[in-house]
Structure formats: structure tokens, C-alpha cells
Amino acid sequence: MSDGKVKMAMVGLGFGSEFISIYQAHPDADVVAICRRNEAELNKAGDQFGIDRRYTDFDAVLADPEVECVHINSPIADHAWMSLKALDAGKHVMCTVPMATTIEECQQICDKVKETGLKYMMAETVVYSREFLFIKDMYEKGELGKIQHLAASHPQDMEGWPSYWEEMIPMHYATHVVSPCLGLTNALAESVSCFGSGTVREEIAKKSGSPFAVQSCHIKLKDSDITAHIWRFLHDVARQYRESFDVYGTKRSFEWTLIENEPHVLHTAKKPEHEIPEKIEIPDFAHLLPEPIQRFTLPAEIHDADHLSFVQGGGHGGSHPHMVHEFVSAVKEDRDPWPNAPTAANWTCTGLCAHESAMKGGELVRLPDFS
């Protein structure tokens, strides 16, 4: 960091392109290289963002001495091996969710981070969304009281997405619902019990190895009396996209709207019954960020609003600049980012263990010790 800036390489330029402008505007970061397999699309992005170092080969990115960190936005099957290769090459890693698709890969990444001393952050959008930051702020101020129950849902019809989504198991992509339930109180999952419900069509079941249309899981939080409930689907269920997070406390409770873009609901205890619920608008939390990147919390700054990540997701709650700032700050300050490797492994393994439980008819499955 000769000029004091963290030197990033962006790997994967579909959804990943959304982060380039944020890094370029951040006072402590810059994107010095980009990588995409499709050379025509690579050059299109390079011209658009004014980046000269362009690679179609991941190994070439890792061999570039100018690159200090890689931000991985490749397909899910690439997350683990790319993260491990980058760490072996001496690069800090920010990787989109999930961390990996096997417990063994999660452990390998944790071991590699411990061995190298490098930074790893899983780029989980939900815990940097304005809704989560709002609830977290209320919780830390004591306005929710004692937390009694947590719940989250992520129904999403993946028709029209890249074909590899037909091979995905719902709970293998569960971090969007696991992370807020654990992240609110900085808890870890201890054990899970999950049931499958319904069936997907035969070709999806054959590709994924999972017959279930819906997976519904209870999570026991470690060193806590709290249990969280999460559920997921990817195919063959009629419902609008939703990434919800509900929190039930003794003083106040928060419930996510049932329909996208409608107000969320805050319930306050000990009021007359008709006054208990109140529809609320969530404030933006851009004030937590350096001024040059505050504008990126707004949907107007999404450069490809037609990307399915935003058609189904509404801009991820303004989370992108918060994640960028957390990672860049962690590298600059030589501290662990949030979520770091062990936390990311716990969040990811919760879903992996949940699927294992579902295949065993709901049998209780404990999270692996390393996570």
C-alpha cells in the first residue's frame, strides 16, 4: 500500500461490477485489476470503469504483485477453491456468499486463514442492510428488551437464473437467513434440526440431489436460550421474492413486510391492542460511511438495475458500500473483518448441517467444532 490505498482485484464482473465504483470512490481503496472469463465482457467493463489490468485467467490475477486483495464474485462452485488459491498466493479475500458448499472446504479456508494471517471476509449483504442496521441499533440501545425468538425467510424462484442454480440445495444457500439471526446478538449456531417439505420436479431433484421444495430449520444458538427459525426455497413454490428477518423481544418486536416495498411493522408491548403495531419506514445508514461512498447506499447508484440480483433484491438494502468499507478498514487496521472466517464458516455450515438434518428426517445435527 505504497500510496496508502488497498489494491483490489475484482473477480467476476456480473454482479461484481456493482462494487467497482464503490472501491474507486473509497478514500482508502482502488481497483487495480479485473478478471472475467469472457474477454469481450471483460474489455467492456475495463473500458467502462477505466481499468487497464484485465485478466481472463485467475492465476494471472494472483501472480500480479500489484494486487493485494481479491473480491470474488464468481459462481458458487468457485468460491472455495478461489479463496484458498488467493490465500495461498498471499492475497486478502472478500468473497460473496456462501463461503463454500462443503463443511470440509469451510474448514480448509479457516485453517488457511489461521496459517497465513491474512484477512478473509464473507460478503453477506443482509447484515449490512439498512433493516439489519436499524434493528441492531435498537437492540444495542436496549429498545427491544430481551430477545425471545428470531425468524427469517428467503423464498426466491430461481427460474431464469444461470443453470447451475438447478444444482443448488436450498439450505446450501442459507446465509441470508442464518446471518441476521446469529449476527444480531453475535451468537453462533450450536445445532440444527431441519425438515424438508414438498417436492421439486424430477429434473431439479436429479441435478441437486435434494427432493425438497422447501427446507425449514430450527437453530439452537450457542450459550443462549434462544432458538431461531429459518426457511428457504429455490424452485416450484409460488411466492414473491423475500429476504425477511423478524425479531421478537419483551419490549418491542420487528416484523418484515409480507410484500416488497410496503412498510415494515414495529410492535410495542403494553399498549392498547390496536396501538401495538405501527407501520414504519427504515432510515438509511449512510452516515456510518466515509462521505465519498455514502451515495452508494441508494438504488439510484446501481449501474445495472436489470441484473436479477436487483430485480429480486431491491439493491440489497444499501449494503454494498458498508461491506466495502468494513473490508478495506479491516485490511488497513490489521484486524479481523466481520464476518471473519470462523463466523462465516458457522453461518455457512448452519445451512449445510440443516440439509444433512433434513435428509435424516429432522435429526438433530451439531455444528462442527472448528466453526
Side-chain angles (χ1 to χ4, degrees):
M1 294 185 286
S2 57
D3 62 356
K5 292 194 173 186
V6 175
K7 303 295 196 306
M8 302 294 306
M10 185 59 61
V11 180
L13 301 177
F15 168 54
S17 292
E18 296 298 332
F19 293 90
I20 295 176
S21 295
I22 306 173
Y23 283 113
Q24 289 177 327
H26 196 287
D28 293 323
D30 197 12
V31 178
V32 298
I34 53 176
C35 179
R36 186 170 184 171
R37 296 177 179 93
N38 184 314
E39 189 168 9
E41 292 299 319
L42 172 71
N43 288 327
K44 184 178 175 181
D47 293 344
Q48 179 180 0
F49 295 104
I51 300 169
D52 295 329
R53 275 190 174 84
R54 307 173 186 181
Y55 299 104
T56 56
D57 177 45
F58 184 59
D59 287 338
V61 176
L62 302 183
D64 188 334
E66 188 76 5
V67 173
E68 295 166 326
C69 314
V70 294
H71 185 156
I72 298 168
N73 283 283
S74 54
I76 289 170
D78 296 331
H79 291 181
W81 73 262
M82 281 189 164
S83 295
L84 288 165
K85 262 202 165 188
L87 291 165
D88 270 331
K91 314 297 185 185
H92 302 292
V93 174
M94 165 103 98
C95 183
T96 191
V97 297
M99 182 185 217
T101 55
T102 69
I103 290 173
E104 291 73 22
E105 289 170 332
C106 290
Q107 181 163 16
Q108 288 168 17
I109 294 171
C110 288
D111 290 345
K112 188 64 66 175
V113 168
K114 193 172 183 180
E115 173 192 324
T116 62
L118 294 164
K119 312 304 177 195
Y120 174 93
M121 176 177 171
M122 186 172 72
E124 174 49 67
T125 57
V126 173
V127 294
Y128 287 99
S129 67
R130 60 181 65 89
E131 286 88 357
F132 182 84
L133 295 174
F134 173 75
I135 298 166
K136 183 84 166 175
D137 184 59
M138 291 185 68
Y139 169 70
E140 291 178 346
K141 290 176 178 175
E143 295 176 6
L144 300 176
K146 180 185 182 297
I147 302 301
Q148 301 285 39
H149 184 61
L150 302 158
S153 71
H154 182 187
Q156 184 172 11
D157 187 349
M158 304 307 292
E159 296 295 328
W161 285 71
S163 59
Y164 66 79
W165 281 99
E166 295 180 353
E167 301 170 11
M168 183 59 59
I169 292 163
M171 278 295 167
H172 281 194
Y173 189 77
T175 64
H176 290 330
V177 281
V178 174
S179 62
C181 291
L182 300 180
L184 181 66
T185 60
N186 291 318
L188 295 174
E190 179 180 275
S191 59
V192 296
S193 174
C194 181
F195 286 91
S197 180
T199 53
V200 290
R201 58 192 184 274
E202 187 176 346
E203 61 266 30
I204 299 293
K206 188 176 293 185
K207 288 179 181 179
S208 68
S210 173
F212 307 119
V214 177
Q215 291 185 311
S216 175
C217 173
H218 277 91
I219 307 168
K220 175 69 176 70
L221 275 59
K222 189 174 185 294
D223 300 323
S224 171
D225 60 2
I226 300 172
T227 301
H229 174 242
I230 61 172
W231 63 273
R232 288 285 282 118
F233 78 67
L234 298 172
H235 298 283
D236 295 345
V237 182
R239 206 215 183 277
Q240 183 188 40
Y241 166 91
R242 184 179 188 236
E243 279 180 31
S244 75
F245 177 45
D246 299 334
V247 182
Y248 298 92
T250 53
K251 294 180 181 178
R252 282 180 155 181
S253 297
F254 176 92
E255 289 187 328
W256 201 279
T257 180
L258 287 171
I259 301 174
E260 192 173 8
N261 298 321
E262 291 193 356
H264 303 298
V265 179
L266 196 64
H267 298 264
T268 303
K270 313 310 178 188
K271 284 188 170 185
E273 191 69 21
H274 68 282
E275 294 181 11
I276 290 175
E278 173 193 1
K279 292 182 179 180
I280 58 169
E281 295 295 331
I282 304 297
D284 196 59
F285 279 78
H287 65 277
L288 300 179
L289 299 167
E291 190 281 329
I293 65 168
Q294 288 180 1
R295 72 183 190 275
F296 292 103
T297 64
L298 302 176
E301 293 297 330
I302 295 170
H303 93 277
D304 181 10
D306 293 328
H307 194 282
L308 276 170
S309 291
F310 301 109
V311 174
Q312 293 183 339
H316 296 150
S319 60
H320 298 174
H322 292 283
M323 294 191 299
V324 166
H325 184 55
E326 171 64 9
F327 182 69
V328 170
S329 299
V331 173
K332 290 278 289 183
E333 297 165 13
D334 190 24
R335 63 169 175 82
D336 263 2
W338 189 71
N340 63 8
T343 300
N346 185 265
W347 293 359
T348 301
C349 288
T350 297
L352 299 176
C353 291
H355 175 64
E356 180 184 338
S357 171
M359 296 299 283
K360 295 177 178 179
E363 180 180 311
L364 192 72
V365 175
R366 292 184 62 85
L367 272 286
D369 289 339
F370 76 89
S371 70

